[in-house]
Amino acid sequence: MSQSSVPDFAELLRGAQRTAVHLEMRDRYGVGDEAEEIELFARTGEIDLDPTARWWPEWLGLVKETLARGVVMRRARIVSEPVTDYIRWEHAVTALNVDAGEQVRWLPRRNASDIALPGNDFWLIDGRLAMFHFFSGDGDWVAPGGEFTEDPAAVSLCASAFETVWERGIPHEKYTV
């Protein structure tokens, strides 16, 4: 599928009919719009859980809109332990995702050694379309930032990996960092 024939991510999520699952596998992301908050958290331990601040209104609105259509949204994260400051921050702000209705689980990396995993984080929409995310070594987006595929082998790998991680994962409210 060519990059130009695929909708942007919000359109893609708006087109989901049953499921939207996301697997994250990095211990640190360096996405520019999070840098200030992460730096503050690393220095002070302070977090901003205001759902109207920064990028949250757009994301949480999209989540709520998607869930209102009956789509189930699940997010799983594979993390090294002890966790990085980034994961500590991410765990703290995940309360906003959960409050919006996303289901989130965490899997310690030591429990993922025997799982066949794709090489990149991904979203899987309705078990038919995978969107891979590409990041630099420092964790920032790499242009164009993602790739979409409906290739049955890639989609099957993503589905199997996600479901295995999900089964082994610890629900957000029970996982401590």
Side-chain angles (χ1 to χ4, degrees):
M1 179 175 288
S2 75
Q3 196 71 18
S4 61
S5 66
V6 178
D8 71 19
F9 182 73
E11 289 177 59
L12 186 71
L13 201 52
R14 286 186 176 109
Q17 297 175 2
R18 297 178 321 278
T19 60
V21 301
H22 186 37
L23 182 61
E24 298 175 13
M25 299 180 282
R26 296 180 59 95
D27 287 320
R28 185 181 189 293
Y29 295 85
V31 178
D33 59 356
E34 298 174 338
E36 191 176 302
E37 286 185 54
I38 293 164
E39 190 275 326
L40 177 66
F41 179 77
R43 269 190 304 105
T44 67
E46 293 177 25
I47 57 169
D48 183 358
L49 291 178
D50 178 359
T52 65
R54 310 217 353 122
W55 67 88
W56 287 111
E58 182 178 349
W59 174 248
L60 298 176
L62 185 57
V63 169
K64 290 175 184 179
E65 171 189 321
T66 302
L67 295 170
R69 293 192 326 273
V71 175
V72 175
M73 289 185 71
R74 297 182 294 160
R75 179 185 303 259
R77 294 178 172 135
I78 298 174
V79 295
S80 300
E81 292 178 321
V83 300
T84 62
D85 284 342
Y86 181 91
I87 295 298
R88 196 172 289 99
W89 171 80
E90 190 173 54
H91 185 271
V93 298
T94 294
L96 293 169
N97 299 76
V98 171
D99 287 347
E102 275 191 79
Q103 300 172 44
V104 180
R105 291 191 181 177
W106 303 80
L107 181 65
R109 193 170 307 282
R110 69 177 176 277
N111 296 332
S113 297
D114 62 342
I115 302 171
L117 298 166
N120 296 288
D121 292 6
F122 65 86
W123 277 92
L124 183 62
I125 306 297
D126 292 331
R128 63 170 182 79
L129 175 65
M131 177 185 151
F132 294 103
H133 291 289
F134 303 132
F135 296 94
S136 69
D138 292 334
D140 205 352
W141 296 108
V142 172
E147 178 179 283
F148 298 85
T149 186
E150 291 177 300
D151 174 67
V155 167
S156 178
L157 173 62
C158 290
S160 175
F162 183 86
E163 292 305 327
T164 303
V165 170
W166 188 259
E167 289 171 15
R168 294 181 189 183
I170 301 164
H172 175 72
E173 60 277 2
K174 293 182 180 179
Y175 185 71
T176 55
V177 294

